[in-house]
Structure formats: C-alpha cells, structure tokens
Amino acid sequence: MTTTGSAVQTLSIGEVAERTGLSVHALRFYEREGLLVGPVRRTSGGRRRYTGTDVDWLLICVKLRESGMPLADLKRFAELVRQGPGNEVERLRLLDTHKQRVDAQIQALEECRSVIAWKVGVYAEHLARGEADGLWDPTA
C-alpha cells in the first residue's frame, strides 16, 4: 500500500486475487462470510477496492485455511480482530489451539514420511541386488 498525500492506493479485486492466490469468487466468499476485518470499499460504480491492509489480512487468512483452520474458527478470529483491543487472550487461545492441531498433523506426517522412507530403502536395496521379484506380491 502506498500513500500519496492523504490518498491511499487501492487495488481491484483482480489485483488482490493475483497477490493472494485467491480466486475472485473466493474473495467474494470471504467478504460474504465476514472473514475480512474491515468493510471493502466500493467505487461510485460499485466495484470493490481493497487496501494493502486488506491484502495483508487475506494473506494471513490464506495460511490459516491452508493449514486446516476450520472456517468457523477463522470467522471467530476475524470477529475478534474487528472488535479491536481487549480480546487478545481469546485470540491467542484460538491461535494456540490451531497451532496444536497443526503440530499434531506435522508429527503424524513425519511418522508417515519415516515409514515411506524405510519402504523406499527396502525396495531400492532389493532392486539393487536384483531381488525384487515377488517383493510384497499378494498373488505369491
């Protein structure tokens, strides 16, 4: 976001889609669902205009959703931010709960990766020795 005097440069919905990786449809959905922390400004012709702050918030939302934050939690988080100061403890609790979910997912994925790496090693070793025939052949 840049400022020229008192004017704030705004972005079209297409520009915001490009910067955030969200589709225009998803941006409209976020607005409808109350996931933005401020109202989206409109031109006299009714076209949406976003600020740099809107883009920054949307980038946070994208990461929270990509990491599996439920839509209801994201809505609650946006609501708390819109309310302003005084509810930071609840915001922290919500984010910490989500972080714990993500940590559990990462641990589960690391366990999966370990099993896969072991299995890759087994297959690679058998193939290198030319002994892969019948390796885990359910018809044998």
Side-chain angles (χ1 to χ4, degrees), residues 48-117:
R48 289 170 175 85
R49 298 303 296 177
Y50 296 84
T51 65
T53 301
D54 294 326
V55 172
D56 292 344
W57 173 255
L58 286 164
L59 290 171
I60 291 168
C61 289
V62 166
K63 291 305 178 192
L64 292 173
R65 288 294 291 150
E66 282 179 356
S67 63
M69 179 178 269
L71 193 55
D73 288 354
L74 186 55
K75 283 182 181 183
R76 180 65 183 145
F77 186 53
E79 179 183 316
L80 291 168
V81 171
R82 275 193 303 274
Q83 290 173 6
N87 58 28
E88 292 81 5
V89 170
E90 190 173 350
R91 291 186 215 179
L92 175 60
R93 187 174 21 248
L94 194 150
L95 290 171
D96 189 52
T97 298
H98 181 61
K99 181 185 174 300
Q100 289 175 29
R101 278 192 305 263
V102 170
D103 288 344
Q105 291 171 337
I106 289 170
Q107 182 178 350
L109 286 171
E110 286 175 346
E111 291 170 7
C112 293
R113 182 175 55 191
S114 176
V115 169
I116 293 166

Side-chain angles (χ1 to χ4, degrees), residues 5-33:
S6 62
V8 174
Q9 181 183 358
T10 59
L11 304 163
S12 70
I13 194 167
E15 291 169 320
V16 173
E18 190 175 306
R19 290 183 186 202
T20 61
L22 293 168
S23 68
V24 168
H25 176 76
L27 287 168
R28 289 181 184 130
F29 173 80
Y30 272 48
E31 184 180 354
R32 257 192 332 271
E33 292 296 314

